[in-house]
Amino acid sequence: AKVNPIPTVTLIANPTSITSGGSSTLTWSSTNATSCTGTGFTAGGTSGIATVSPTTVPQTYSITCTGTGGTGAPATATITAAVPDLIVTNISMSPANPASGQAVTFTATTKNQGTAATPSGVSIGVTFFIDGNPVSASDNNIISLAPGASVNLTANQAPGPGGSSTWLAAAGSHT
């Protein structure tokens, strides 16, 4: 007797991260199937493409296929929210080797390692600490930072009321 193989199916979302109001394309293909049923989308056949625009994320879509060998295991694809994710990749100071009492200005290189740009008009800021104490800060970058892009943030203000945008170097080793 011939044994009919159980259907298999794959489901891929592209992109897997979207911004609010965005869409993603679901692509599926199957073997040994005569029909497929999507959950959260309409699957028109045993292979195909569908565009989805989830109103909330994360959103998981699934598809199950049936054939003469029965019903196969479902395949899933999850779409998540695209978000910015900022990290400091470098910190420098000017002058590089200050004398005790000399004013030091700090700069941090910040990279967006996320999947969405930072919102335009929202400050990308950083506070610089010496020996655990805030000494200066930067808050004047309000330009959107694209995924993968970097920006240099140079201290432009004191970390709180009063003070200065620079640190007066003190003798000794500091963290």
Side-chain angles (χ1 to χ4, degrees):
K2 179 181 177 193
V3 176
N4 293 317
I6 295 174
T8 61
V9 64
T10 58
L11 180 65
I12 298 170
N14 186 27
T16 56
S17 295
I18 61 171
T19 56
S20 178
S23 63
S24 179
T25 301
L26 299 176
T27 305
W28 69 96
S29 61
S30 63
T31 58
N32 306 312
T34 55
S35 67
C36 295
T37 303
T39 302
F41 72 103
T42 301
T46 57
S47 65
I49 297 172
T51 300
V52 293
S53 299
T55 55
T56 59
V57 288
Q59 179 70 50
T60 299
Y61 297 90
S62 66
I63 188 167
T64 304
C65 295
T66 302
T68 56
T71 300
T76 61
T78 300
I79 299 170
T80 59
V83 293
D85 183 10
L86 304 179
I87 60 168
V88 174
T89 58
N90 188 55
I91 299 173
S92 62
M93 62 184 195
S94 178
N97 296 300
S100 184
Q102 191 171 11
V104 177
T105 301
F106 295 100
T107 299
T109 303
T110 303
K111 179 180 181 179
N112 182 356
Q113 66 178 4
T115 54
T118 60
S120 182
V122 174
S123 175
I124 299 173
V126 64
T127 300
F128 299 94
F129 289 77
I130 296 292
D131 300 330
N133 300 308
V135 296
S136 61
S138 171
D139 74 342
N140 62 350
N141 186 89
I142 58 170
I143 297 170
S144 178
L145 189 61
S150 293
V151 63
N152 287 327
L153 304 174
T154 299
N156 67 312
Q157 67 176 19
S164 168
S165 64
T166 59
W167 172 67
L168 292 181
S173 179
H174 303 279
T175 58

